[in-house]
Amino acid sequence: MKQTSAVSRRLVLVGSASILASPAIIGRAAAALRGVSDSEIVIGTMADLSGVTAVQGVNNANGMRLGFDEANQRGGVHGRKIRWIVEDNEYIVPKAVQAMNKLLNRDNIFFAIGNGGTPHNDAVMPSMFEKNVPNVFPTTCARSMYEPFNRLKFGQFASYYDQMRAGVKYFVEQRGKKVIGSMYQDTDFGRDVHAGVVAQLKAMGLKLAAETAHRPTDTDFNAALARQHDAGCDLICAGTIVKDTTIILQTAHKMGWNVEFCGQFASYSTAVAEAPGEPAEGFYSMAPALYRYPDDPKPAVHAFAETYRKRFGIDPNYLGEAGYTAAGFSVAALEKAGRNLTLDSFIGALESMRDWQDIFGGPALSLSPTNHHASSQSFLSVVKNRRWTPVMEQPLMF
């Protein structure tokens, strides 16, 4: 799944600019605005292209690449082509800081989009904001992507916290679960997932039965699962991503323990559903939208999947769709901002986006001057025959 040519990929496409104002005025305005010239807009991304979450980072980057390519093929945005630069953060925080320093100081990006990883975003946002660089739709559902409110923060997805609160409520009220455990990565990401589990249990007058935390690189979960088993858990909420989710499910199967698991956005991956030996059969996951497989009957979805497969040699997963959506949304906002592009006009355009809809039938995305969180809807799916199947088409609430 690793795309070796994705690291430090640069798309430099130059086109003629349409003139809607005096060239001298436009030229002076563009010169004063980082990442924007008369002919291009520079956008940056740091993503995991070779680390433990590369199956997600590469797919997400591929989706953004298609979205920006399509915009450039249409002539760009008000005569400016998009130059998109992606750097590999390897899902390592120091690498993320290094990647963002390059994007900020060498590439002089106008804004960042799809930055991958919760702790990685948390680490780089201060340096971004010092230079007035917006962080648009990062590839994480952490609440810190839009809380506390910041003029330069824009979150795309329902938070891990909200996803798990909705999931726990469903399993307790609709599935009769009474003994809930939590297994999570001991990171900003994992703790955010865990916090949602604990908060919903408290709201329902229940207590967490068992809690285990692990490093993202851990591969032995025998002791952690034994602790969950000994507590009598009938549901385990998973603050895990792809590799650790798969190993945990494989380990539970080897133990002969058929307890149900519920993950979230980070585990809602075809790599989990299609893992060898089918350990994920019956695995549940919350997500901010529903993944549409390439054989979906919607013509637009089918066309996207065909283009994606021809371009990259693999089928898109949910993160590929999310990346394409993020690119499309940002292009729409740039178009609303107009030819006389400034940081203020771009932020104003983002804040004026209402009920924007992607081609996949995801939740309508809306922002405002007081709300930089585009959607709070969460959906539940389960793996059946190595495919993610919606438990219901409607979002769950808590």
Side-chain angles (χ1 to χ4, degrees), residues 143-163:
R143 289 172 291 171
S144 57
M145 299 306 106
Y146 57 89
E147 293 179 353
F149 182 88
N150 185 298
R151 183 171 182 256
L152 301 173
K153 284 184 183 180
F154 296 89
Q156 179 176 359
F157 308 111
S159 69
Y160 299 120
Y161 179 89
D162 287 356
Q163 290 172 42

Side-chain angles (χ1 to χ4, degrees), residues 11-15 39-40 68-69 72 80-83:
L11 300 178
V12 184
L13 296 141
V14 180
S39 60
E40 71 175 14
F68 290 135
D69 280 355
N72 284 338
R80 293 185 177 101
K81 295 297 181 72
I82 293 171
R83 179 158 65 97

Side-chain angles (χ1 to χ4, degrees), residues 43 60 63-71 74 77 82 111 113 136-137 156 304 320-336 346 350 353 356-360 365:
I43 302 171
N60 193 244
M64 285 188 282
R65 190 181 306 283
L66 283 186
F68 290 135
D69 280 355
E70 289 177 1
R74 294 191 299 266
V77 182
I82 293 171
F111 69 91
I113 188 169
V136 179
F137 286 9
Q156 179 176 359
F304 164 79
E321 295 179 352
Y324 187 76
T325 293
F329 187 95
S330 67
V331 168
L334 286 169
E335 290 171 344
K336 290 190 75 171
F346 179 57
L350 285 169
M353 298 290 281
W356 188 88
Q357 194 74 56
D358 65 21
I359 66 170
F360 308 105
L365 303 180

